[in-house]
């Protein structure tokens, strides 16, 4: 599975702002709703329920919220870059400004885990995070995320 298979350019917000974690999740839900045709409230509830199990703030200013959604037939993604980082209860206690949310159909077990692992490996790359923070358009962000690159340490 390639990032380009799950992330459409229209599901990328290159400049966004939200004052807190809950509003970031609401923003993700709005972008997802517009792109997937699923009610934003349903998406927000699924994301919030997952966060109750533990923060999806994975460190280095990155969060990878995820949820299973009725109505999806394949893995889908949303990417948001915040103008100002917010507290996300991340594992390293650092605020988050890069959010790559993943959404899976209810029955996609191993596919969902593979996609989470791929996004996690990708966003551990410090040079990529730096480029994503400097990119100004959804097209530029998409090009960075779908570019094949060797795995590198953070």
């Amino acid at each position: 599975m390639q990032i380009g298979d799950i992330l459409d350019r229209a599901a990328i917000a290159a400049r966004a702002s939200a004052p807190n974690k809950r509003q970031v999740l609401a923003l993700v839900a709005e972008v997802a709703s517009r792109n997937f045709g699923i009610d934003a409230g349903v998406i927000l509830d699924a994301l919030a329920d997952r966060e109750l199990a533990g923060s999806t703030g994975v460190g280095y200013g990155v969060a990878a919220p995820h949820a299973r959604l009725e109505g999806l037939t394949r893995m889908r993604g949303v990417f948001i870059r915040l103008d100002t980082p917010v507290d996300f209860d991340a594992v390293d206690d650092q605020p988050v400004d890069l959010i790559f949310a993943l959404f899976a159909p209810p029955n996609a077990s191993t596919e969902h885990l593979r996609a989470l692992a791929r996004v996690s490996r990708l966003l551990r790359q410090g040079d990529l995070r730096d480029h994503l923070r400097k990119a100004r358009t959804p097209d530029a962000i998409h090009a960075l995320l779908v570019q094949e690159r060797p795995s590198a340490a953070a």
Side-chain angles (χ1 to χ4, degrees):
M1 168 187 318
Q2 303 300 319
I3 297 297
D5 297 334
I6 59 176
L7 182 64
D8 298 329
R9 282 176 182 83
I12 297 172
R15 299 195 62 190
S17 60
N20 56 48
K21 181 179 180 176
R22 177 74 179 185
Q23 290 302 311
V24 169
L25 295 176
L27 181 58
V28 168
E30 290 171 23
V31 173
S33 176
R34 284 194 307 267
N35 284 274
F36 310 160
I38 297 172
D39 182 74
V42 169
I43 297 169
L44 179 57
D45 288 346
L47 289 169
D49 287 348
R50 170 54 192 85
E51 288 296 317
L52 289 175
S55 177
T56 56
V58 297
Y60 306 106
V62 174
H66 51 277
R68 296 177 190 276
L69 296 175
E70 292 287 340
L72 286 185
T73 58
R74 64 181 178 91
M75 291 292 305
R76 303 290 300 267
V78 167
F79 184 88
I80 295 179
R81 191 188 69 224
L82 297 174
D83 291 330
T84 304
V86 300
D87 179 30
F88 214 86
D89 301 316
V91 296
D92 63 357
D93 293 322
Q94 296 301 307
V96 163
D97 64 339
L98 302 175
I99 298 98
F100 196 127
L102 285 170
F103 300 94
N107 59 350
S109 56
T110 59
E111 182 183 20
H112 187 193
L113 295 175
R114 282 195 312 266
L116 278 170
R118 184 165 186 90
V119 167
S120 177
R121 278 192 309 274
L122 184 67
L123 294 176
R124 275 196 302 255
Q125 299 175 34
D127 64 327
L128 175 61
R129 292 191 309 270
D130 291 342
H131 290 301
L132 288 169
R133 288 182 173 113
K134 294 174 186 169
R136 294 292 165 225
T137 66
D139 284 342
I141 289 172
H142 190 265
L144 288 165
L145 290 169
V146 301
Q147 176 184 343
E148 287 301 315
R149 59 179 42 92
S151 290

